[in-house]
Amino acid sequence: MKPFKLTTMITLAMFISVASAKLFTIQFDLQRNKENHPIWDLTNTSNGHALMLEPGKTLTHNFCLRTDSYVTVKDFRFSNGNRSEQVMLEIDRVLMGAFRTPTNPQHSWNLFLSTGRFPRVPLISIGWHRLVVKFNGTADGIALDYIELDIDDDKMSQDIFSCELTCIPDRNYNVRSNPVVTEASYIVQESYKTACPEVDNINVPIFNPSVQMYEITAALPQYRAFYNWKNENTTGCPHLSPLYWSFNNIDLTSSANYAIDTPSAKIYFSRGNDRHSKVHTSMVIAFKLEGKSKGMIDSEMGAILKIKFRHLTNDVKLSFRYKGRHNGLSRTVINHATPTHPETEWNIPDFSWTDKDYNLVFLYVVSNSSKPLHMEHLFLERRPMLPDQVKSVYRSDDSIIEVVFSDFWWLNPDSMTVHLSTGDIYHNVSYFRIYRPIPWDQGYAQVFVLYQDGNARLLPVPPVGLKGWIPFGSSVIIGQTDPTVVRPYASITDTYIDVDKQVMSLMYKDGGSCRLSLLSSLTETRVVVSDLYLARNPALFPFTTFRSMYVAEGNTDVDHVKVDGIHNLHIMDDFNAVIGRNFVFHRKCMSRHLNLSPDIYIDIRRTLNDNAHVELIDTDAFQSLLMRIRNHRFRLWTPRLRYNYG
Ligand SMILES: *[C@@H]1O[C@H](CO)[C@@H](O)[C@H](O)[C@H]1NC(C)=O
Ligand SMILES: *[C@@H]1O[C@H](CO)[C@@H](O)[C@H](O)[C@H]1NC(C)=O
Ligand SMILES: *[C@@H]1O[C@H](CO)[C@@H](O)[C@H](O)[C@H]1NC(C)=O
Ligand SMILES: *[C@@H]1O[C@H](CO)[C@@H](O)[C@H](O)[C@H]1NC(C)=O
Ligand SMILES: *[C@@H]1O[C@H](CO)[C@@H](O)[C@H](O)[C@H]1NC(C)=O
Ligand SMILES: *[C@@H]1O[C@H](CO)[C@@H](O)[C@H](O)[C@H]1NC(C)=O
């Protein structure tokens, strides 16, 4: 067979980066095109079927782009019946290329040909596009196997290509105009990659040593999509599992001393010396747990040790002790496993384990069994978290306030006392939440939540007609944090709430304080933070921190930050530090994770020297902090647990 020639109408020389391009295959027989064109079984296709494009017909396929991208037709695989014809491929009525199919002396539809790469590589804009295949003339048509497109965008996903999730062009975000020019602030990139959508891997601290007042605003994302996906997604989150370690199917009658080494724990077995019993085996299990310094609760929370035997013929006496954070061993607790109850467990209280060293579990097993003693399993897991205790502490025509006591609070013994202007005082509060009445239905909607660790969550009220609630998604830590720790926090000791004015005064453990005023409108919920007293060096400890999640496009709570309404940075870009006065953390692309969760605007409204046009806090100390954060960031390329907030 003669090789055929690919002719282009116009050939443009383009320099495109092939390294970051992503390949998308349009398999026409699997798409909606199959409803409008015949599908034939042809064994030489990639999947057994081809779409018949009949004479006089046109084939149109829709696709979407995440951003303006160079698009290459990498391959066009087809067969033609008997007669040669002129085939043209267009995107949005712009010709990508045209070629003449060769004549086919075998008269077979099962001889497929590939065009290879088309030379034209146009820049195609973000959004919705049409790819069209047509002929010139009335020969016998062609059979289409697939078309491959190379898209010069390493963040493109199949969901976006198929337009199931769409992306919007750059928008203006309505940041309120500010009569003054504030001293410049810095955001610093401290985010890391994760595979777990329930981790707050996006960390963007904001610095400004002379900040006096700033606003945090939550508004619905700007894309048009009315899905209200609210489910959490724990795929890719091994750290969320309560299981610390387990050993299964072990014969304890084996006489030798031996050890089993797993990544999570090591177990050592040795024969004891109880002369009255046939089986006497000691087990020691050594394991490490992560704690507060890694943003984890494993070394803090209590645990349950469970053991089960199989085919027991005699009673087994089990003596348990452990060594954790306290000096010396715990007292011994003796349990029995019996032929009718071959399973037993021990509870280890909160604050027993350590994250500084190995933890040890000791088990001494004694039995008169003459048969082999078979241990079905032995495992240690985090104790279950009991539901939050919620107390409704204030209710009026204009708001509801609830305080919440968690079964386990990760910063314990740090805790928050909530003082209401009614005179009521509540100690040991993990977080509180404020509801606003919704005039167009009979309910109330949560608009603001503040946790003891400084994490604040804001929500616009649900729009008319939306059933139920909108999920939170991103959050903002109000208060100074140490930007070099895995899970930053600003420990609040006291909150004073003026229930009529919806004004809150916060006192921090570090001595700092601030005042919050809550405002909600039809479209947004805003907190104005004023009267800031920053107790720690503000050049090194940011006054606020944006936190959120990004796994991949379409699996995010945020994907971009727009700085001063001008620069739109991708949230995973390695931007190090960026100067600005307002920052809009938003989504350009729809997400399957909490699709309606809000965009967050952080706007610095007043500084000590407004209109002084001070641009840089370019001190040596700040530069060395950036270096420290950078080093820290590169160490953190692993998933971490986000403690499961309400
Ligand atoms: C191709 O030509 C052969 C021989 O003339 C004929 O039998 C066959 O039907 C033609 N096939 C098509 C698809 O036109
Ligand atoms: C599949 O294609 C090859 C040429 O690429 C051809 O030799 C073969 O006959 C085709 N198979 C069928 C069943 O037509
Ligand atoms: C289409 O066919 C006509 C007549 O056969 C020819 O003049 C014209 O150049 C063809 N157009 C293309 C795009 O091939
Ligand atoms: C859940 O997250 C994983 C990645 O961590 C992703 O592959 C999967 O598509 C997500 N599921 C949904 C329903 O979004
Ligand atoms: C085993 O048998 C001896 C002698 O009858 C008894 O003293 C001992 O308590 C038994 N041990 C267990 C674990 O039942
Ligand atoms: C405070 O709450 C924690 C749980 O978050 C609990 O462990 C602790 O005992 C409580 N402290 C007081 C004084 O009630």
Side-chain angles (χ1 to χ4, degrees), residues 406-409 412 428:
S406 298
D407 172 37
F408 190 87
W409 180 242
N412 194 301
N428 208 20

Side-chain angles (χ1 to χ4, degrees), residues 24 81 83 116 126 260 270 362 376 397 458:
F24 292 87
R83 298 185 16 216
I126 177 176
I260 302 172
S270 58
F362 302 89
E376 190 170 317
D397 296 335
L458 282 78

Side-chain angles (χ1 to χ4, degrees), residues 190 192 200-205 292-295 410-411 452-455 475-491 536 542 544-547 632 636 645:
E190 215 203 325
Y192 53 90
D200 271 343
N201 65 314
I202 301 299
N203 268 295
V204 183
K292 263 188 215 176
S293 68
K294 297 266 173 69
W410 79 287
L411 283 185
Q452 187 278 330
D453 61 4
N455 247 282
S475 60
V476 176
I477 303 176
I478 300 176
Q480 284 189 285
T481 56
D482 178 350
T484 63
V485 302
V486 179
R487 186 172 169 190
Y489 60 90
S491 187
R536 288 185 273 177
T544 189
T545 305
F546 174 80
R547 304 203 74 204
H632 165 74
L636 285 182
Y645 283 119

Side-chain angles (χ1 to χ4, degrees), residues 350-351 383 405-410 412 415 427-430:
D350 293 349
F351 312 113
R383 72 166 174 87
F405 308 92
S406 298
D407 172 37
F408 190 87
W409 180 242
W410 79 287
N412 194 301
S415 75
H427 297 287
N428 208 20
V429 172
S430 307

Side-chain angles (χ1 to χ4, degrees), residues 243-388:
L243 184 70
Y244 296 157
W245 48 257
S246 75
F247 295 96
N248 304 307
N249 300 320
I250 292 170
D251 182 2
L252 296 184
T253 10
S254 140
S255 57
N257 295 346
Y258 68 110
I260 302 172
D261 200 351
T262 73
S264 45
K266 275 182 196 175
I267 186 166
Y268 305 88
F269 300 90
S270 58
R271 298 285 285 178
N273 54 2
D274 183 330
R275 274 179 289 111
H276 306 293
S277 303
K278 294 199 168 111
V279 181
H280 35 84
T281 297
S282 287
M283 290 185 249
V284 182
I285 304 103
F287 56 98
K288 284 195 163 169
L289 294 176
E290 292 188 330
K292 263 188 215 176
S293 68
K294 297 266 173 69
M296 306 281 283
I297 52 174
D298 293 349
S299 66
E300 306 304 298
M301 231 176 141
I304 305 172
L305 179 74
K306 289 188 184 175
I307 191 166
K308 185 175 184 184
F309 294 92
R310 191 181 292 162
H311 310 308
L312 269 193
T313 50
N314 296 63
D315 287 7
V316 181
K317 181 180 152 195
L318 296 145
S319 313
F320 163 72
R321 293 200 290 176
Y322 64 91
K323 166 84 182 79
R325 70 175 60 180
H326 304 296
N327 286 332
L329 293 177
S330 70
R331 66 183 181 84
T332 303
V333 180
I334 295 173
N335 285 3
H336 288 88
T338 64
T340 49
H341 291 103
E343 196 171 7
T344 183
E345 64 184 52
W346 295 265
N347 289 303
I348 298 96
D350 293 349
F351 312 113
S352 296
W353 303 125
T354 179
D355 62 346
K356 308 277 187 303
D357 199 350
Y358 281 99
N359 295 285
L360 300 171
V361 160
F362 302 89
L363 262 184
Y364 186 53
V365 183
V366 182
S367 172
N368 283 339
S369 174
S370 51
K371 296 241 174 75
L373 190 56
H374 194 86
M375 185 170 82
E376 190 170 317
H377 62 228
L378 171 67
F379 65 87
L380 184 73
E381 63 181 15
R382 190 165 57 238
R383 72 166 174 87
M385 183 91 74
L386 300 176
D388 288 343

Side-chain angles (χ1 to χ4, degrees), residues 17 40 67 89 94 128 240 252 267 280 331 396 419 496 514 518 568 618 623 628:
S17 138
W40 284 12
T67 184
L89 193 97
V94 173
W128 185 13
L240 290 174
L252 296 184
I267 186 166
H280 35 84
R331 66 183 181 84
S396 74
H419 311 252
Y496 297 84
C514 66
L518 180 64
N568 209 11
D618 201 12
Q623 289 307 326
R628 257 168 65 214

